[in-house]
Amino acid sequence: MAKDYAQGSVDRDKRLAELLSCPPELQCDAVERLVRQTKLQTKSLKMLRRLMAPLVAKDLRDQLGNANRSSASRYVAYHCEDGDVSFASGIASELVRLMDGVSADWVGAISAGTKAEGGQLVIVGSSIETINVALSRIALVVGDYKGGFVRGLWQGKVSSFSKIAGVILG
C-alpha cells in the first residue's frame, strides 16, 4: 500500500511538472485547457454510461434466463468500480422494464464504487418482499448500510464492498 501511494505521488508530481513546464505567463492557459478537457471527458463518460446501461441490463436479463421456467428465486449482480449512482440506477430501471411480466421471483443487485470506500447499491426485484429478503441477506454480510425504498427499488450506500465481494462482486 505504501508503495502504491508513493508511486501515485511520483506520477502526480510528473504530471504537474509537465503541466507547469511552460513559461509562467502560459501556466493559467494550460490549467484552463486541462480543466476544459477534463469536463469534456467527464461529459463523454456520462453519455457512454447512459448508452451502456441498457446493454448491461440486457446482459443481466439474459443471466436470469427464463425466470418463468422455475419457481426458484433468481439472483443477478453487477458491480462497476468507477460507476456512479445514475449509472447504477439506469441499469436497475432498465432491468425492471425488461423483466416486466415475469411471474417468477427474481432479484438484481447493482453496485458502484471501490471495494475499500464502498459506494452505491441498488436492489431491484419482482416484488418488495424479494427485495427485502435480498437486502436482509446482504445486510448480514455488509453490516453498515444506509438507504431506503424509492419507486419500487431499494437504493442506498454501503461503507465497504470488501466484505460482500463474494455476494455482489462475485
Side-chain angles (χ1 to χ4, degrees), residues 45 48-61 63-64 75-92 95 106-113 119-124 138 158 161 164-170:
L45 182 61
L48 288 172
R49 283 194 182 132
R50 195 173 300 130
L51 294 171
M52 196 171 99
L55 300 173
V56 172
K58 285 179 186 175
D59 184 51
L60 293 175
R61 181 202 56 199
Q63 288 178 34
L64 284 167
Y75 180 84
V76 292
Y78 179 79
H79 177 74
C80 182
E81 186 87 10
D82 62 346
D84 59 4
V85 67
S86 62
F87 182 55
S89 295
I91 294 170
L95 182 59
W106 61 272
V107 175
I110 298 98
S111 58
Q120 300 298 319
L121 175 63
V122 180
I123 302 174
V124 293
I138 291 171
V158 177
F161 288 121
I164 56 173
V167 178
I168 292 179
L169 308 181

Side-chain angles (χ1 to χ4, degrees), residues 103-167:
S103 60
D105 286 344
W106 61 272
V107 175
I110 298 98
S111 58
T114 63
K115 285 184 182 180
E117 296 173 10
Q120 300 298 319
L121 175 63
V122 180
I123 302 174
V124 293
S126 55
S127 67
I128 299 293
E129 293 79 24
T130 58
I131 296 171
N132 276 328
V133 169
L135 182 60
S136 65
R137 289 179 183 164
I138 291 171
L140 289 173
V141 178
V142 72
D144 189 24
Y145 70 92
K146 294 178 184 177
F149 281 93
V150 179
R151 295 183 306 278
L153 57 86
W154 186 89
Q155 183 173 336
K157 188 166 178 93
V158 177
S159 61
S160 171
F161 288 121
S162 61
K163 296 176 186 173
I164 56 173
V167 178

Side-chain angles (χ1 to χ4, degrees), residues 2-17:
K3 180 182 174 188
D4 293 338
Y5 178 77
Q7 184 62 44
S9 180
V10 169
D11 290 343
R12 276 190 300 275
D13 288 348
K14 283 181 183 178
R15 288 192 308 257
L16 187 57

Side-chain angles (χ1 to χ4, degrees), residues 20-72:
L20 300 176
S21 64
C22 58
E25 59 273 5
L26 298 177
Q27 288 177 353
C28 285
D29 291 336
V31 170
E32 288 174 1
R33 189 171 47 252
L34 179 65
V35 168
R36 276 195 310 275
Q37 289 172 347
T38 303
K39 284 182 181 180
L40 282 173
Q41 289 173 345
T42 302
K43 190 175 181 178
S44 295
L45 182 61
K46 277 186 130 178
M47 185 180 70
L48 288 172
R49 283 194 182 132
R50 195 173 300 130
L51 294 171
M52 196 171 99
L55 300 173
V56 172
K58 285 179 186 175
D59 184 51
L60 293 175
R61 181 202 56 199
D62 292 344
Q63 288 178 34
L64 284 167
N66 187 354
N68 282 322
R69 274 190 274 153
S70 113
S71 61

